Amino acid sequence: MTRIGQVMMLLHGGDREEARNRFGALWAEIGEHGDALHRCTLAHYMADTQDDPEDELLWDLRALSAADGLDDRRVDQHHAGLAVRGFYPSLHLNLAADYLKLERRDAARSHLARARSASDALADDGYGDGVRAAIDRLEWRLGES
């Protein structure tokens, strides 16, 4: 997780290409059957490095699949008090945005509804408020509000 975090800093610093390359190397180490928390986290951020919306969708689907293989005990080992259900609002929001980019509005609406229904797992803090606001914005873009 430390190495994934270091690459996330590159990504947030604006170096998408280098982040993509380093995430790719980490993915090769972790593999399709590696630790689900590592796969979920890496795939979630790898999606943000993609130029092609189809590639972004594939990485976001990998993140969701990995989250489905997680349990709270494993997540708590990484960060005390963290629960898997708190991952789903963001994961489904990202998928909704991917599908909207690909002009697949029905799939976007489906994942947006899942993001909204899962948002009760979010705390009333900056992160939770940000995800809920992003859900609101995407609903508005889809004409759902």
Side-chain angles (χ1 to χ4, degrees):
M1 290 301 286
T2 300
R3 290 170 44 206
I4 293 170
Q6 291 168 341
V7 180
M8 286 169 41
M9 287 191 294
L10 273 176
L11 175 61
H12 292 146
D15 196 343
R16 290 177 70 229
E17 184 176 351
E18 183 63 20
R20 182 174 44 243
N21 292 337
R22 290 191 189 189
F23 279 142
L26 285 172
W27 185 262
E29 267 184 60
I30 294 168
E32 286 285 331
H33 303 291
D35 181 88
L37 180 60
H38 297 158
R39 287 185 294 119
C40 180
T41 305
L42 192 152
H44 180 68
Y45 288 101
M46 179 64 134
D48 294 339
T49 70
Q50 302 305 304
D51 296 324
D52 183 328
E54 290 281 351
D55 292 336
E56 185 175 2
L57 172 63
L58 291 174
W59 283 105
D60 280 328
L61 288 168
R62 285 183 180 119
L64 180 62
S65 176
D68 289 342
L70 278 171
D71 61 34
D72 286 338
R73 190 178 74 221
R74 172 62 186 108
V75 174
D76 192 63
Q77 288 172 343
H78 172 67
H79 187 279
L82 196 59
V84 176
R85 66 188 198 104
F87 290 18
Y88 287 98
S90 178
L91 293 172
H92 284 292
L93 173 63
N94 287 351
L95 285 163
D98 295 342
Y99 283 120
L100 183 59
K101 287 177 193 173
L102 294 167
E103 299 181 19
R104 295 172 58 187
R105 297 177 76 79
D106 289 341
R109 284 185 187 96
S110 174
H111 281 281
L112 190 57
R114 291 177 188 174
R116 173 66 72 197
S117 72
S119 67
D120 66 337
L122 297 170
D124 289 326
D125 59 12
Y127 175 77
D129 292 344
V131 172
R132 282 187 290 273
I135 291 169
D136 290 342
R137 285 190 303 274
L138 195 55
E139 283 176 340
W140 182 83
R141 285 181 58 204
L142 277 168
E144 299 296 324
S145 294

